[in-house]
Every structure is written in structure tokens, then in C-alpha cells.
Amino acid sequence: MVTLPKLNELGFFEIRLESIGGLGANLAGKMLAEAGVTGASLNGVSFSSYGSEKKGSPVKAHIRFCDNHTNIRDTSPVERPHVVGIFHESLSKTVNVISGIYEDSLVLVNSNKSPEQLKEKMKLLGGTIAVVDATGISLEEKNRTNMAMLGALFRLCDFLDPEAMKSVIRKSLEKKYPQAVGPALQTFERGFNEVTFQTFELPVGQQMPAFVRQDTPMLGYETQPMGGVITNPGNSILKDLSISRAGMMPHFADDKCIHCAACDNVCPDFCFVWEEQPDKKGRPQMFLQGIDYQYCKGCLKCIRACPTDALSSAREEDGYADEHRTPHRFDLAVH
Amino acid sequence: MSIDLSKEQAGLAKVEQRVVYESGNEMAAYAAHQINYHVMGYFPISPSTEVAQFLDLMKSNGQHDIVLIPADGEHGSAGVCYGASTAGGRVFNATSANGYLYMIEQMPVQSGTRFPMVMNLVCRSVSGPLDIHGDHSDLYYALNTGWPILMCRDPQAVYDMNIMALKVAEDAEVRLPVLVASDGYFTSHQKRKVQTFANREDVHQFIGAQPPVGYPDTLDRNNPITVGPYMNEPDYINNCYQQSMAMYNAEHVYDRVRKEFADLTGRDYPILDQYRMEDAEVAVFLMNSASEIIKDVVDQLRAQGIKAGSIAPNMIRPFPQRAIAEALKNVKAITVGDRADSYGGHGGNMVNEIKAALFTHGNRDTLVISRIYGLGGKDFYAEDGHNLFQFAIDAMNKGVVDKPFDYYGHTPGDPAKSPKRVLKPMKFEDLKTGLITVKKDEETGKLSVRIPPLRSLTKKPKRIAPGHGACPGCGIFSGLELFFKGIEGDIVALFHTGCAMVVTTGYPYSSHKATYIHNLFQNGAATLSGVVEMFWERKRRGELDHLNLQDDFTFVMITGDGGMDIGMGPAIGAALRNHKMIILEYDNEGYMNTGAQLSYSTPMGHRTSTSNIGSVRAGKVFHHKDTAQIMAATHIPYVFTGSEAFPQDLVKKAAKAQYYAQNEGLVYGKILITCPLNWLSEDELGTEIIDAAVGSCFFPLYEVEHGVTTITYNPDEKDKRVPIVEWLKTMGKTRHLTKPEHVETLNAFETEVERRWKILLAKHENPYL
């Protein structure tokens, strides 16, 4: 019989995974939960944020573990996690990924940054930051990020047996994809082994911030226009979608561009910024100015469409997008 | 009952049980596969869709014999089920929300003609602004349909109720269709430990291996029957009386069935679930998932010395009136939470039925507080449960209810954060560039279109703003904007339900810079017809003069291939009426917004979540729909196909489409677009995959102008014909077709593509074809 390290007042050990759709957090959460419930004689419940969230959009997975005598009644999202697993470091730009953590919670981040840097980035007051370069590992092992994250999560959830998980991975893959077994196990193993930890004590006199319920709306019945009508056309320009990029992005080389608009024709996210300028003969003509990375989801269709080398793909590096962004010049109603 | 998986309880079962860790939808499907229904007619809608998906997956591996019929909409699925149930076998369905309302006229037909079946209602909001999350507003519509309704608080109950439901439905005293209701997402998508019968034989032992005989059966050739006669007064009321009797019988039949079930399994579901009610002074009534959460609250209040309890029905049709009155006879105050409003009814349906129960059984003392909560999937936290109890405690202490009816969990909002306009409206002169010209040759009647180099068209503002939430590499938006590059001036757009709608209008954001309307995806063509005709009539009456419109609007309806399945009828209706509008279909070969189920446009052999690849069946079993030809047969002025892989071709067709939609009548166009997520293809390859689809002649580019077909790109002539396999191997959903074991399917598909291409070539050659 395994013992859960911490329990909340209802008897649950709670885990929340923060990710963007497409990185496999849902599957990782499912496997983690099953490892506890069917593999470790715990009871539990697991679910993901649901709806029409698409690939690249922020998603959450929720897992509650308890012993076999605890009644499971709660269906509300995990607001006060003992463990948070963050699959995409940049998420903290737009999502409060550490919402509701305790001062002794474990926060696992897929990153190659130091715990200090991440503490700063996430504005964490106290808690233990665990770092694993899951993206790096998965690229090296030619496997999926979620396997490395799953390995690391097993390290954090030391009441679960990583060997049992490995045999599940083996069993689920060996029949259909025997060649995938080795890399998957290696990725899991490295995720498990390569986690580094650093604990930050909550400064004396400070309190952990209270959580804001996930079902808190932006507007209300006094401020929301009647009938759900949106009277603010095109206000989605306020959104920052850069977190949807899962590692790759296009680079633009102005000097190689022939301004043919092939990229503009295929871009699903309207990232190309054009301006009318006089051409060599002084006639007005459209010229591509650059990419508005705020909306680029990194699909790289533009690179395939580009008949020259003006567009190329590159691993996303911190700061590049901000530095090289050509913002759209919207006709704003408010300045 | 809440699940308690301690070994002692599992030991109570008399027949072997096994434990699985699954969600509510998985358990509904699991029960159905054990029952081995004869027929399931279905149509995908969140959150119930998974039920059909799981059954399809099992079917593809030969795990059951249920004939799964993907209907053309929920109305169709209800029809399939009705027909099947008259024909003597066991019938199953699952739906939610708008899907349920779309089939609702069939519900009293099914119950009023007394054909048993079982349907899962995975409860979800029915709404104006589209909410896909869970509440009971669809369920409340079911209250008057004449179907007994069983309630499921967790995945265990979904499994158990599904098995009991059939036995109740088929009972001689009942003979009614039964609805099994669980909470969308909270129950349908949360995984729990669930006990199931280990052996199908034990399930059959319980329900009966075959449906009972001796009832009307439309396949009994020796006893011809007339089902559904024309029956007015004075007979109809007697039919209703029979039905009413059967409905009330369902209560004691259920009670008997649940006792037998409890005896077998140790899991008991009394008609009214009571938690710590023995000496309760205050109580809360909630249904399904929330009624579990409230038990934790009861425990906490009891620990504080408050005599709290909770009740929740396991059956609401028939309504357990006596049991509720009995349970509340010593309760001083109760808060009744309704997860749906009965607008204007001074309370939701449940609170009013509970008040009626108290009144009928002589209880004038218990104070009743009504609260509407948790609408549209708004979460229910233990904190909320405490607040609901507090209303009852306050009433008990004061001896009076301050506010008998209210909402709970609604928020006024901060005036400082009220919406402020971000963008100015697009300027007409920017949209009417003059770069595109369409002229009609008065002699030949042909249109000549001139478009500039596409570079120049980047000057035109995009109709859709960036910031929408589509997946990386989604083909919808590049396709739509390329089309819009060919449209000059103002548009009014109507989007059917689907990915394009969902990702551009997530409240409070909108990516639509021009005016946009959503309507449910069986009805967009009719809806836009209404807008179009209102425009022309108001223009005629001079009511739009003040706007100084420089040009007429171009009305564009955007739909996916799903919308052209369920909405085929209204689209044909609009076409036959020839309204001045464009219907543009983005075809990604499946119902992608609900999780990649097959559409009629999905080609043969392609894998979707309802055409799985298994050991006994691989991919879709029938050919793709030729929507362009169907629409061409309505003899509208202009039909076209296009793709982003051939941008000039698409822009020219858009320009023509606009001409016809402003001057003559309805235009239908189909663009094939990629869905990398569900085609299991690389994001970056989108344009090339479509190019190959065109090059293989699976998706020929052509137009039908006043009935005359012109192929606008002929890969044979250009020596660019691509073997179909080259296209299929670019996508994970079709890669299996390149393997020898699927060669038959591949050949059938190739033959069909070639046959349709040859027909098109013939039409291209002959203006009268």
C-alpha cells in the first residue's frame, strides 16, 4: 500500500498539468493517473480542460489521487496543486501557471533555464522548482516531450513506481510501433534522471497568493452587451498567440524577398505585414515588411510557399521574436 | 451512491466484476457493447460524441455486432433509431444539447407509439451564444417527452443505469424509451474507477439475451401492423392515458430492477438518494455530479454540528414525488439548485416539482429556496455548496425565506473593464480597391474577370483579424482570406457552427472585422436567406438610405463539410429560392470541431474517430459526397471548387461568385483545406497536400456557370497528374491505404475518383451535360 506524501483536507494529493494543446499533456496526465490508480492501488480521478480548445491553445490536465477508502466526489478543477507540471515554459506569459500552489508545492518546468530565472519569470514566492529540459531531451532522443515530462513527473511523485510505468510504455508500443519502444523508454528515463531541484523558502512575513477561481469571467451581467453580441470587431488582435509555437518559427530575410505574396496566401494567422511604397519606377507597390510574431503559431507553411530563401525555419530562441517582430499597423479606435 | 472501491464492497457482488478506470462516455459505450444492441443511429455532438467513437473503435476490432449508422443529423439519427426500434431489435443512441433539441419532435413519437430504446443524454447547455459545456437545460426539455429518465452522478452510475435502463424500457408494464442522463464533461470526460460485469453473459442474464417478444414488430410478415395511424380526438387522449400509466409504472418497475441489480452487484440506486437525512434540519437538492460534491459539504457541516443532509434523485421521470415529500417531512429549510432556468417560472423545473410534492403530501412547513446555478458548465465547488446551505440555514433561523428565487454564481462585472472598441471599422475604399474587374459580355453572356498580381491584393485589409485560436497550420483561414481577396467591398458573413466559428469568436473576443452571424449548422443557409431578403426589402423601403451605401453587401455563408451534411436540406432550399448570396464550404473531410468524426465528405478508407482502423474494418466504408454536383443540380447560376494551392484560380472564382451573388442569385463554392491535426499530417505541408489532392483528380478544380461545366485546371493536360497514393501517403489518416492489406479499398477509391473525373471531363466537353 503506497502512502501519499501530502493530502488536502478532503484527502487528496492533487496535480495540475499546464500545457498547450498538442504537446501531449493530456496523454501524460492520463498515463500518470492510470499508473496511480491501476498500478499503485490508489484511487483517483483525472480529466483535462475540455471544449473546443485547439492545438496550440492553453490546456490543463487535473489529477487527484487518494487512498482507496476516500470518497471521490469533487469534479471541480484542481485549484491548489501539490505538484504542477508546466510543459511549455512560455505559458507563464499569458497563464498564471502556478496559481494556488502551496509554499511546499513542487513546480516542474520544461526548460533549460535555471530555477532562479524561472522563479523570476513565474513570480513564484515560495516552493520547489524542478527543472527538466524535456524539449531538449525529446529532440535528442527523437521522441515526444510528454515522455520526458512524464519521467520527470514520476520523479516528483515518488509514491509511483517508474518501473511499472516503463512496462506500460513497453506494452502499449511494442505491438504496433516496436521501433518506438527504445526511444520512448530512454526519453522517460532521462526525464526521470535529469530533473534538478531548488527550493525557495517563502520569505518571512509573506503569504502565498490566494488563487482566483478558474471560472471567473472578464465581464459580467452589468457590463456584457445584451444577447452575447460582441460590439468590438476584430478585438482578437489583443491576444498574444506566441505561446502556440512549439519550438520552431520562421525567420525573414528582407534582402532575399521578391514580395510575391506566396507567404501571405498560405498564412493561416495573418502574420505578414505589408506596406505600400514606391517601387524603382516610382509607382506604388506592396512590400513585405516582416512578420508579426505575436500571432505566429510556427506552422512554417510560409517557408514551403516561399520561392526564394527569404523565409527560413529556425529553433525559437528567447527574445528573438520580440526583437524581430514587425507589428501590424492596425487602424485602432483607441490610442 | 458514491464509488467506494474497497474490496469488501466488490465482494458483495454475486457475479464476477472487474474494475476499469474510465470516463462516463467510455462506460456508456462499454455497457452498450456488452448489451450488444442491434442498431445505433447517431450524429456527433459534444460532449456525447465519444460514445459512438468508442463503439466504432470496438466495432473495427470485432468486439460487438452493433450496426452503427452515422446519420445526416440528429433528426436523422432519431429517425434511424425509431425505424430500427419498430423492427424488433434493440436500439441505442447518445446525444446532447442542440442535438437533442433537433431530434425532439421524434421523442414523443417514440414514446407515444411505445417502442422501447435507450438513449444517453450527456447533458449540455442549449443556448443562443453557443455554450458547449454542461448544464441541465437540454435535460429539462426531456421532461415532457414521455420518456422515463434515469440520472447518473458518476461514471459508475452511467454504466449501471445503462444496463438497468434497457430492462425498465422493455418491461411489460412500461414499454417506453428510456433516457439515461449524465453530466457533460464532469461525468462524461472524467475518469474514475468503475466496476463492470466481467462477462457479457451475466449482463445478458440480467437483461435477457433477446428482447421480449409479443410486441409490435414491423418485420413480422405474418402479422402486418399499422404503426403510427392518424389519430385525433376522441381517441388520442386514451393513448396518452395509457402512456401516463406506463410512465408511472416505470417507478415501481425501476425499483424492482434496481433491487435485482443491487442483489447482483452490491451497487444500489434507490429512486431517491439520501445522504445523512435521518435527522437533517437543513438540506440541499442537486442533481448528478454536483449532488456528489455536496456530500463533502454535508460532512463538513455535520462536523460543525449542523444537522445537514442532501437528496438527489436517481430518476426524475416519473418524478419521485412521494419519496421526496417523505425525505423532507422534518426538514426546516431546503435549497434546491436547478442547473437550468425555466425562464419566468419563478424557479427551475425541479424546485417547482419539489414544491408541488410538498404541497401534495401536506407539507406546508418546509421552507424552499430556489437557486439557478452552474449554467453552461460553470464549475460547482464545495465553496458553492456551503453557500447554498447557508441560504437554507438563514431561512431556518429567520423562519422565512428572504429571496425565494435567484441566480447563484452570476457576476455583475467591473464597469472599468467593460468592453471598449479596439479597431475602427474597415474603410469601404480600402475594401473596394478597383483592382479586380468582372465584366459581362452582353452577347455571349460570359463573364470576363481580371485580377492583378496577388502581391497588389495584400493592400486590401483582411476580413478576419489575427488572434484567432485555430491550430497551427489550419487551412481554413488561409483558404477563406484568399477567397476574400477576390471579393470587393463590404461583406456580411454567416458562419455555421464549426472550427472557424469557434476559434474566431471565443467570448469576449471576435476576429471578425466585418459583421458576422453564427447560427447552428443545419440552418445557416436559411438564416442568411433571411438576412439577404431583409437587406433588399429595407433597401427598397429606403430604410438604409442614411448609410449611403456605395454598393450592395456581398452575403457570404461559411460552412464546413459537416454543415453541408446536417444543413444540406436548408442549403438546397436556399439554392432553389436563388437568394443573392454565396455559400462557401471549407471541406476538411470530417467533423473536426467535435473531434474528427467521419462526414459524408470523408473519402472511402480514410480514418476518422468514427471510421477507425481495426482488425476487421479499416476506415470509412462508403464513398465521399460530391456536394458541388448536388448543388449544381439545383441549377443555381454559379458553382465552383477551389483551393489555396491554386491562388489565382480561387481569386478569380471569388470575383465571379461575387458578381453572381450581387446580380443573379445563389453561388456555391467548395474549397478543400487541410486539417493537420486530424489528417495527422505535417503543419507545413498543408498547401502541398491540397496540391496533390487536386493533381490526383480527387479534387478537380472546375466551375459550373449557368449549367455549363468548365474544368479550370486539368492535370492530365499539364502532364501533372499525381497518383492517388502519392497524395494519400502525405497523411497519417490514409497511410494505411498504401499497404498491401488495404489494396481493395484503395482500388475502390481510385476507381470512383477516376469515374467521377471522367464524368466531369465529359461535362467539360459538352455544355448540355
Side-chain angles (χ1 to χ4, degrees):
Chain A
M1 188 73 201
V2 298
T3 312
L4 291 161
K6 297 164 200 162
L7 296 175
N8 67 14
E9 53 176 2
L10 290 175
F12 291 95
F13 181 84
E14 305 199 332
I15 302 168
R16 190 174 71 224
L17 306 182
E18 300 272 359
S19 184
I20 57 170
L23 288 184
N26 183 12
L27 183 64
K30 210 168 120 180
M31 291 173 89
L32 186 70
E34 282 176 12
V37 173
T38 60
S41 72
L42 290 166
N43 199 357
V45 52
S46 55
F47 53 100
S48 300
S49 52
Y50 16 61
S52 277
E53 287 83 3
K54 305 298 176 189
K55 193 175 164 190
S57 306
V59 290
K60 296 177 200 291
H62 309 267
I63 300 157
R64 293 192 162 93
F65 285 129
C66 57
D67 69 38
N68 259 323
H69 298 282
T70 303
N71 287 311
I72 301 183
R73 292 159 170 165
D74 198 353
T75 53
S76 66
V78 169
E79 294 281 18
R80 306 230 51 202
H82 298 100
V83 168
V84 184
I86 300 157
F87 281 57
H88 191 47
E89 178 197 309
S90 305
L91 263 175
S92 62
K93 245 165 94 173
T94 47
V95 179
N96 182 11
V97 287
I98 56 167
S99 171
I101 59 166
Y102 301 97
E103 58 178 288
D104 60 350
S105 290
L106 293 165
V107 180
L108 173 71
V109 192
N110 168 18
S111 173
N112 53 16
K113 292 204 171 64
S114 71
E116 284 89 353
Q117 286 172 306
L118 293 168
K119 173 181 189 283
E120 203 58 37
K121 204 169 167 178
M122 298 186 295
K123 300 185 183 73
L124 178 133
L125 286 180
T128 298
I129 294 187
V131 186
V132 67
D133 182 11
T135 306
I137 294 171
S138 62
L139 281 173
E140 283 171 34
E141 301 295 337
K142 296 190 173 53
N143 205 265
R144 297 202 59 195
T145 313
N146 63 350
M147 269 303 134
M149 282 300 283
L150 190 62
L153 284 163
F154 265 75
R155 178 81 173 278
L156 269 61
C157 300
D158 55 10
F159 51 91
L160 298 177
D161 177 12
E163 293 308 316
M165 190 69 241
K166 281 196 244 172
S167 78
V168 171
I169 295 172
R170 193 175 298 115
K171 265 188 217 146
S172 58
L173 291 175
E174 68 190 352
K175 237 174 132 185
K176 269 190 147 173
Y177 313 99
Q179 72 289 359
V181 174
L185 290 177
Q186 180 70 9
T187 310
F188 178 86
E189 181 101 16
R190 283 190 59 189
F192 186 88
N193 289 327
E194 294 178 22
V195 190
T196 55
F197 295 88
Q198 190 171 344
T199 298
F200 301 96
E201 295 292 338
L202 180 67
V204 180
Q206 290 217 38
Q207 280 196 334
M208 294 298 283
F211 71 89
V212 177
R213 273 173 64 152
Q214 287 168 35
D215 61 350
T216 308
M218 282 168 76
L219 302 178
Y221 57 83
E222 284 177 357
T223 59
Q224 191 165 301
M226 184 168 67
V229 169
I230 298 174
T231 52
N232 204 340
N235 65 342
S236 67
I237 60 162
L238 298 175
K239 291 196 154 186
D240 184 346
L241 300 179
S242 52
I243 59 157
S244 299
R245 290 192 295 270
M248 302 299 287
M249 68 191 298
H251 283 191
F252 174 57
D254 190 15
D255 53 331
K256 293 175 186 158
C257 180
I258 58 167
H259 310 282
C260 66
C263 52
D264 195 78
N265 289 336
V266 302
C267 176
D269 295 294
F270 318 136
C271 301
F272 292 96
V273 181
W274 296 79
E275 193 173 75
E276 192 170 59
Q277 293 170 1
D279 66 6
K280 282 180 196 148
K281 294 177 184 160
R283 291 177 305 205
Q285 185 55 279
M286 298 306 290
F287 289 87
L288 179 59
Q289 302 299 299
I291 300 171
D292 193 339
Y293 288 114
Q294 179 175 339
Y295 309 112
C296 173
K297 296 170 186 152
C299 73
L300 310 181
K301 274 176 81 185
C302 55
I303 290 155
R304 306 288 299 200
C306 181
T308 73
D309 296 329
L311 291 165
S312 57
S313 72
R315 278 270 302 170
E316 176 143 19
E317 277 165 40
D318 241 17
Y320 183 93
D322 290 338
E323 222 170 285
H324 294 84
R325 174 183 174 215
T326 305
H328 273 297
R329 296 168 191 110
F330 294 113
D331 192 5
L332 296 174
V334 278
H335 291 277
Chain B
M1 60 145 255
S2 55
I3 13 177
D4 182 349
L5 279 147
S6 56
K7 291 215 174 89
E8 307 86 80
Q9 202 210 6
L12 290 176
K14 286 188 182 154
V15 292
E16 188 187 347
Q17 302 286 300
R18 61 187 274 264
V19 176
V20 295
Y21 182 65
E22 304 286 12
S23 67
N25 278 345
E26 281 164 315
M27 293 326 298
Y30 195 79
H33 116 281
Q34 284 188 318
I35 291 167
N36 206 22
Y37 283 98
H38 292 78
V39 168
M40 176 187 194
Y42 71 94
F43 188 78
I45 181 165
S46 302
S48 59
T49 316
E50 286 183 334
V51 178
Q53 288 175 207
F54 293 129
L55 282 167
D56 185 81
L57 188 60
M58 289 187 263
K59 173 92 175 174
S60 71
N61 287 308
Q63 291 169 282
H64 63 76
D65 307 311
I66 307 169
V67 179
L68 300 169
I69 302 174
D72 51 294
E74 286 86 357
H75 195 254
S77 81
V80 168
C81 289
Y82 181 59
S85 66
T86 69
R90 284 175 167 162
V91 178
F92 183 67
N93 196 355
T95 193
S96 299
N98 306 69
Y100 182 64
L101 263 63
Y102 192 38
M103 65 168 75
I104 206 160
E105 71 157 358
Q106 283 291 304
M107 301 297 101
V109 175
Q110 183 98 36
S111 57
T113 53
R114 310 291 297 278
F115 288 101
M117 66 169 279
V118 172
M119 181 160 76
N120 277 253
L121 183 67
V122 183
C123 298
R124 164 187 145 183
S125 187
V126 279
S127 57
L130 189 76
D131 186 315
I132 66 155
H133 287 168
D135 67 28
H136 294 155
S137 47
D138 52 359
L139 175 65
Y140 283 6
Y141 281 95
L143 292 170
N144 295 335
T145 57
W147 292 44
I149 302 172
L150 304 181
M151 304 292 286
C152 313
R153 59 202 54 211
D154 56 26
Q156 179 71 63
V158 173
Y159 175 77
D160 294 338
M161 288 297 191
N162 263 290
I163 289 171
M164 286 190 274
L166 183 62
K167 201 169 162 77
V168 173
E170 289 179 344
D171 190 276
E173 290 186 80
V174 180
R175 304 300 300 170
L176 285 170
V178 173
L179 199 67
V180 177
S182 61
D183 284 1
Y185 298 108
F186 302 120
T187 303
S188 66
H189 283 60
Q190 294 200 5
K191 281 178 179 280
R192 300 280 187 89
K193 270 189 185 173
V194 178
Q195 292 186 50
T196 73
F197 286 89
N199 304 304
R200 178 181 279 174
E201 299 74 62
D202 292 328
V203 175
H204 284 191
Q205 184 72 33
F206 180 71
I207 56 170
Q210 289 296 323
V213 289
Y215 297 101
D217 176 352
T218 48
L219 300 183
D220 180 359
R221 70 97 39 222
N222 296 329
N223 295 292
I225 52 171
T226 297
V227 175
Y230 176 59
M231 179 199 280
N232 288 328
E233 78 292 342
D235 310 291
Y236 174 68
I237 194 170
N238 295 321
N239 193 64
C240 296
Y241 183 72
Q242 287 179 339
Q243 197 183 331
S244 173
M245 297 294 284
M247 174 63 95
Y248 288 115
N249 288 344
E251 181 166 339
H252 68 250
V253 170
Y254 170 80
D255 205 45
R256 191 185 72 228
V257 169
R258 68 98 181 169
K259 281 177 185 150
E260 289 169 29
F261 189 83
D263 186 49
L264 272 184
T265 64
R267 301 188 294 276
D268 191 12
Y269 299 85
I271 287 169
L272 183 68
D273 186 68
Q274 304 189 38
Y275 189 70
R276 305 187 81 166
M277 286 297 290
E278 314 77 56
D279 59 344
E281 292 180 336
V282 285
V284 167
F285 170 101
L286 297 170
M287 295 203 295
N288 279 3
S289 59
S291 75
E292 282 295 289
I293 299 172
I294 203 74
K295 290 175 181 171
D296 283 337
V297 177
V298 168
D299 290 344
Q300 286 162 353
L301 292 173
R302 286 272 174 178
Q304 294 167 28
I306 295 165
K307 289 184 177 168
S310 66
I311 56 172
N314 282 316
M315 181 179 222
I316 56 170
R317 278 295 177 270
F319 191 69
Q321 199 181 56
R322 179 177 297 277
I324 286 176
E326 186 66 23
L328 296 182
K329 69 174 185 243
N330 297 318
V331 168
K332 299 205 167 70
I334 180 168
T335 304
V336 177
D338 272 289
R339 209 165 195 156
D341 198 354
S342 169
Y343 300 104
H346 303 279
N349 290 107
M350 287 301 116
V351 75
N352 286 333
E353 297 204 6
I354 288 168
K355 285 178 179 172
L358 295 175
F359 186 88
T360 304
H361 292 275
N363 178 342
R364 312 286 166 90
D365 302 322
T366 303
L367 300 168
V368 181
I369 303 105
S370 162
R371 289 295 179 268
I372 306 294
Y373 79 102
L375 300 188
K378 188 170 162 59
D379 276 301
F380 186 74
Y381 290 57
E383 171 194 353
D384 302 319
H386 280 284
N387 290 334
L388 293 188
F389 263 112
Q390 196 57 49
F391 297 131
I393 293 167
D394 290 347
M396 172 177 73
N397 291 342
K398 287 175 90 170
V400 60
V401 180
D402 280 337
K403 203 165 188 185
F405 169 74
D406 198 2
Y407 271 46
Y408 172 81
H410 52 310
T411 40
D414 177 357
K417 290 182 187 156
S418 36
K420 285 182 189 64
R421 192 166 190 154
V422 175
L423 287 177
K424 288 185 186 156
M426 291 178 288
K427 296 193 184 81
F428 180 78
E429 54 273 25
D430 290 345
L431 294 165
K432 185 89 177 180
T433 61
L435 292 166
I436 296 170
T437 54
V438 183
K439 286 204 182 99
K440 187 171 193 171
D441 186 318
E442 290 305 332
E443 274 182 30
T444 62
K446 293 253 177 195
L447 294 186
S448 71
V449 180
R450 296 193 57 173
I451 63 163
L454 295 175
R455 175 183 186 178
S456 316
L457 292 176
T458 59
K459 192 178 176 187
K460 200 188 268 193
K462 301 230 169 8
R463 313 276 175 169
I464 300 170
H468 64 73
C471 301
C474 174
I476 297 174
F477 294 95
S478 42
L480 291 187
E481 276 300 341
L482 194 57
F483 177 79
F484 287 142
K485 278 181 181 172
I487 304 280
E488 294 270 282
D490 290 327
I491 63 164
V492 171
L494 181 141
F495 279 45
H496 264 166
T497 317
C499 282
M501 168 264 168
V502 163
V503 302
T504 54
T505 61
Y507 197 79
Y509 294 101
S510 172
S511 301
H512 297 280
K513 291 194 271 182
T515 288
Y516 155 101
I517 309 159
H518 161 253
N519 201 5
L520 303 169
F521 69 167
Q522 60 276 31
N523 222 1
T527 310
L528 195 61
S529 307
V531 180
V532 169
E533 296 311 320
M534 185 59 89
F535 167 74
W536 289 104
E537 181 55 16
R538 287 188 70 197
K539 185 179 165 177
R540 191 186 68 78
R541 294 187 188 193
E543 292 171 9
L544 302 179
D545 292 352
H546 66 287
L547 292 172
N548 295 316
L549 295 177
Q550 298 176 55
D551 198 358
D552 297 332
F553 291 103
T554 300
F555 296 93
V556 188
M557 181 186 117
I558 305 294
T559 176
D561 44 315
M564 286 305 280
D565 281 352
I566 190 171
M568 192 78 249
I572 290 175
L576 296 173
R577 299 189 300 266
N578 204 28
H579 300 282
K580 289 180 179 169
M581 58 187 258
I582 300 169
I583 296 178
L584 181 67
E585 171 188 345
Y586 60 88
D587 177 1
N588 50 19
E589 303 180 341
Y591 303 155
M592 300 323 189
N593 190 43
T594 41
Q597 295 81 26
L598 70 81
S599 77
Y600 293 160
S601 294
T602 306
M604 174 176 261
H606 288 222
R607 168 183 170 183
T608 68
S609 60
T610 48
S611 60
N612 284 284
I613 299 168
S615 54
V616 301
R617 206 199 55 202
K620 188 171 169 237
V621 296
F622 56 98
H623 285 299
H624 58 287
K625 173 177 179 178
D626 197 341
T627 319
Q629 288 297 316
I630 295 173
M631 293 305 286
T634 63
H635 301 286
I636 48 178
Y638 189 54
V639 171
F640 71 90
T641 62
S643 93
E644 73 174 51
F646 295 81
Q648 285 85 358
D649 179 75
L650 179 56
V651 170
K652 274 187 195 162
K653 286 169 176 168
K656 273 192 185 179
Q658 176 168 35
Y659 177 89
Y660 285 117
Q662 284 188 320
N663 295 289
E664 295 193 11
L666 197 130
V667 171
Y668 166 81
K670 184 203 262 280
I671 55 172
L672 185 70
I673 59 112
T674 33
C675 176
L677 180 71
N678 294 314
W679 287 11
L680 308 169
S681 61
E682 295 298 328
D683 295 350
E684 62 188 271
L685 294 184
T687 316
E688 285 142 85
I689 294 172
I690 297 299
D691 187 55
V694 173
S696 72
C697 292
F698 162 74
F699 192 78
L701 299 182
Y702 68 98
E703 56 190 9
V704 185
E705 208 170 342
H706 292 135
V708 178
T709 300
T710 310
I711 293 172
T712 58
Y713 171 76
N714 183 332
D716 287 334
E717 280 174 5
K718 307 256 178 207
D719 215 12
K720 286 194 170 163
R721 182 79 182 257
V722 179
I724 277 194
V725 183
E726 290 303 305
W727 166 51
L728 297 178
K729 73 184 189 194
T730 58
M731 300 173 286
K733 70 161 179 164
T734 45
R735 215 161 283 141
H736 61 284
L737 291 172
T738 63
K739 293 187 181 148
E741 60 264 38
H742 299 297
V743 71
E744 244 176 76
T745 311
L746 178 67
N747 287 345
F749 180 45
E750 280 174 337
T751 307
E752 180 67 10
V753 166
E754 189 58 22
R755 190 182 72 82
R756 292 189 193 181
W757 172 240
K758 289 275 157 60
I759 293 173
L760 205 61
L761 284 172
K763 289 186 174 182
H764 176 81
E765 294 301 324
N766 186 335
Y768 296 107
L769 282 183

